[in-house]
Amino acid sequence: MKIVVGSDHGGYELKEQLKKRLIEQGHDVLDVGCGGEPVDYPDIAVALSRVVLEGEVSFGILCCGTGIGISMAANKIKGIRAALCADCYSARMAKEHNNANVIAFGGRTVGVEHAWEMVCAYMNAEHLGGIHAARVAMIDAL
Ligand code: RB5
């Protein structure tokens, strides 16, 4: 699978750890930054969203300190459905019900193991379609 990752400085360590695990599992990972230096999370959200909307990747992973600011920024971009995840059930539902094309985490709020389990829960899920697809279409039309 091809996946794009991005973070600000607050999510950098988590982004690096998730990237490492994805690569170890054979995924092709594109990294839009940062490299650990202080950056503004909206810039990273825009860079990653562009890649997702170009259709080059299956989905994107964003990390900032809390995951809040970077997911808020991504969700301003039409076509992006970014889900801030803090538990595995929500990560699975983000795919099954919401067909999220970006998942977001807080590097200062969740541990690497927990974040990785959430990434796996999302990746192992399938969008259920039907009424859920209709609701996602309603979001996209907003
Ligand atoms: C940066 O210090 C911090 O504000 C950012 O990483 C994030 O938590 C914002 O939502």
Side-chain angles (χ1 to χ4, degrees):
M1 211 179 261
K2 194 163 178 187
I3 298 153
V4 58
V5 299
S7 76
D8 75 352
H9 48 289
Y12 172 71
E13 291 299 337
L14 180 58
K15 184 254 292 178
E16 290 300 304
Q17 290 297 322
L18 295 177
K19 181 171 75 175
K20 182 169 167 272
R21 290 180 187 216
L22 288 166
I23 291 169
E24 279 168 5
Q25 288 213 341
H27 298 290
D28 186 3
V29 181
L30 176 64
D31 188 343
V32 296
C34 72
E37 73 286 5
V39 294
D40 298 319
Y41 56 79
D43 290 336
I44 299 294
V46 168
L48 180 135
S49 297
R50 208 167 268 153
V51 174
V52 169
L53 293 175
E54 279 164 3
E56 279 182 47
V57 295
S58 302
F59 73 99
I61 300 176
L62 283 172
C63 305
C64 69
T66 58
I68 296 172
I70 208 158
S71 58
M72 288 173 104
N75 277 319
K76 295 282 287 182
I77 299 165
K78 195 161 178 61
I80 294 296
R81 294 179 302 279
L84 172 57
C85 299
D87 62 86
C88 287
Y89 175 76
S90 298
R92 178 161 66 86
M93 287 299 131
K95 185 68 182 176
E96 289 190 359
H97 285 195
N98 313 114
N99 204 15
N101 49 14
V102 174
I103 49 174
F105 303 109
R108 296 173 183 155
T109 60
V110 296
V112 175
E113 292 303 327
H114 187 195
W116 178 244
E117 282 184 18
M118 290 190 273
V119 170
C120 294
Y122 169 86
M123 289 178 73
N124 291 332
E126 294 287 339
H127 181 52
L128 296 178
I131 185 63
H132 304 293
R135 290 173 182 148
V136 169
M138 288 172 73
I139 295 175
D140 287 341
L142 291 173

